[in-house]
Amino acid sequence: MARWITEWHPDDPAFWERTGRHVARRNLVFSIVAEHLGFTVWTLWSVVATRMGAYDFSTDQLFWLVALPNLVGSALRVPYTFGPGRFGGRDFTVAGAVLLLVPAVLLGVAVNDPGTPYWLFLVIAALAGVGGGNFASSMANITYFYPRGRQGLALGLNAAGGNVGVSSVQLVVPLVIGSLGLAAAGWFWIPFIVVAAACAWFFMDNLAGARAEPREQLAVAGRAQTWIMSFLYVGTFGSFIGYSTAFPLLSKSLFPDAPYAAVAFAGPLLGSLVRPVGGWLADRLGGAPVTQWNFAAMGAGVLLVWLASASGGFWLFFLAFQLLFLTAGIGNGSTYRMIPAIFQAKAVAERGTGEEALLHGRRQAAAAIGIISAVGALGGFLVNRAFGMAYAAAGTPAPAFLAFAAFYAACLALTWWCYTRTVGVKVVANLAHAQV
């Protein structure tokens, strides 16, 4: 079934009301479904690692199993960004969903054998990274479907729908494991993955106008704004995915008798739901001011978590961690809202307001989203490795918490230096006039 749309003009109000809005909404809905499953597979090991008592693995080894999917997922986001432009958004979404079956099946097989070696678990955990790559292709694809004035909400909903997959894993998988055994953590998701792939095949579309050569898209790698936003996104999304995947194992290490498995879903769910709020605040107050003050709150939050971790009380630790999830979610929205606005406004400034300029801006924004999301996702790996190394060196996560606080201070300083000290941003698109 070939479904290619050759005429697509979302910035034409008449076209949008007549045709574009309904087609875009349909593609957004099924993009969210597929991306949600991508996040579930990507973060499965955050729960599985806490249930591997039958294996004699150290805390540092378990954190490696949680960290590897983040590392591989962040690396895959760069090539995945070019997928919709090269193969079509629908076709690449189907392929990305089908690939999720590989780590899910292998997980179900491996944990049934108590003699499975550690290196094989590392390989299977690394393969779960394909779920992390789906985010970049999904976001790049949806960028093409919506007009400039509606991309903030569309991207926010698409991202939030995917992010909620982390919460789904931490809510559902402990129940599945408790009822059906550890292998079910992989088997359970297979029917949902098949349905998501089928829905993408039958209900999504490829846009001919989205086709672009990787060389054209990679041009954004030479822009300073791409790397500034990448650094900031490490602080927001990297924190979100890192803390989401680390929380169960960290809680087990600090408070082994606490009911952490029953509430681990709450933080990722909170961070996911407030992500669109961050975008809305950026629309109203400016992306840079919201991001700057949010990093100040994240710095305060991580210090509170550090103090709570030493208090001996799980619930104080849990509540302090919710502040980190809240601020990470808001920061995800405020930083991500800035990306398409920067590159599309720059395209208009450089090429005028014609349709060719708008399409060029979308291509630049889609490529930038891939690079920035890839670098940002690397934060999830760094967070888990920081905890693992802290335990290996000091037997406590305290050094990691102090390192995170210093990093948030650096993000705050970078935001102030590059944006708020020189540009009074009321509308985030004005960031396009910053020097690149």
Side-chain angles (χ1 to χ4, degrees), residues 65-396:
L65 293 174
V66 179
L68 266 182
N70 290 313
L71 178 63
V72 174
S74 66
L76 286 178
R77 285 185 172 195
V78 175
Y80 268 55
T81 298
F82 306 135
R86 180 67 179 84
F87 303 103
R90 182 201 68 161
D91 294 353
F92 199 78
T93 300
V94 172
V98 170
L99 281 175
L100 299 176
L101 294 171
V102 176
V105 170
L106 290 178
L107 169 60
V109 172
V111 297
N112 265 332
D113 182 1
T116 300
Y118 178 68
W119 67 265
L120 185 55
F121 280 124
L122 289 174
V123 171
I124 298 171
L127 289 172
V130 298
N134 285 358
F135 177 85
S137 59
S138 178
M139 295 294 276
N141 183 45
I142 292 302
T143 298
Y144 290 106
F145 278 95
Y146 281 82
R148 286 186 296 165
R150 298 175 183 267
Q151 284 183 352
L153 180 59
L155 291 175
L157 290 172
N158 194 52
N163 291 174
V164 171
V166 185
S167 185
S168 296
V169 162
Q170 296 181 351
L171 176 63
V172 174
V173 172
L175 299 176
V176 170
I177 293 174
S179 302
L180 302 174
L182 189 57
W187 300 122
F188 177 81
W189 300 102
I190 291 175
F192 297 98
I193 293 170
V194 172
V195 169
C199 287
W201 178 258
F202 287 109
F203 301 117
M204 291 184 70
D205 304 284
N206 299 314
L207 293 180
R211 283 190 159 176
E213 292 297 323
R215 180 178 299 178
E216 176 189 356
Q217 293 179 295
L218 278 173
V220 299
R223 293 184 179 268
Q225 294 291 337
T226 301
W227 299 106
I228 294 170
M229 294 305 301
S230 294
F231 189 87
L232 299 182
Y233 203 53
V234 170
T236 55
F237 180 77
S239 294
F240 169 79
I241 196 66
Y243 293 146
S244 295
T245 52
F247 180 81
L249 186 55
L250 182 64
S251 298
K252 180 183 179 181
S253 301
L254 291 170
F255 309 99
D257 298 324
Y260 59 87
V263 295
F265 75 94
L269 179 62
L270 175 62
S272 301
L273 295 179
V274 301
R275 182 167 184 154
V277 176
W280 178 79
L281 288 172
D283 286 339
R284 295 290 301 273
L285 305 174
V290 172
T291 300
Q292 176 179 308
W293 287 107
N294 192 72
F295 277 126
M298 292 185 75
V302 79
L303 292 176
L304 285 176
V305 171
W306 173 39
L307 294 174
S309 69
S311 70
F314 170 75
W315 292 111
L316 181 61
F317 174 77
F318 171 77
L319 291 175
F321 232 110
Q322 301 318 293
L323 176 60
L324 275 182
F325 282 117
L326 175 69
T327 51
I330 290 174
N332 283 341
S334 66
T335 52
Y336 222 78
R337 177 62 185 95
M338 293 159 65
I339 300 168
I342 289 172
F343 288 94
Q344 290 177 16
K346 285 197 70 63
V348 169
E350 294 169 355
R351 302 188 177 207
T353 57
E355 188 165 331
E356 187 279 332
L358 296 177
L359 182 57
H360 175 74
R362 282 194 181 87
R363 288 172 176 164
Q364 294 277 289
I369 281 172
I371 294 173
I372 293 167
S373 68
V375 177
L378 185 62
F381 170 77
L382 296 175
V383 166
N384 280 283
R385 286 310 307 138
F387 283 131
M389 289 187 293
Y391 268 101
T396 170

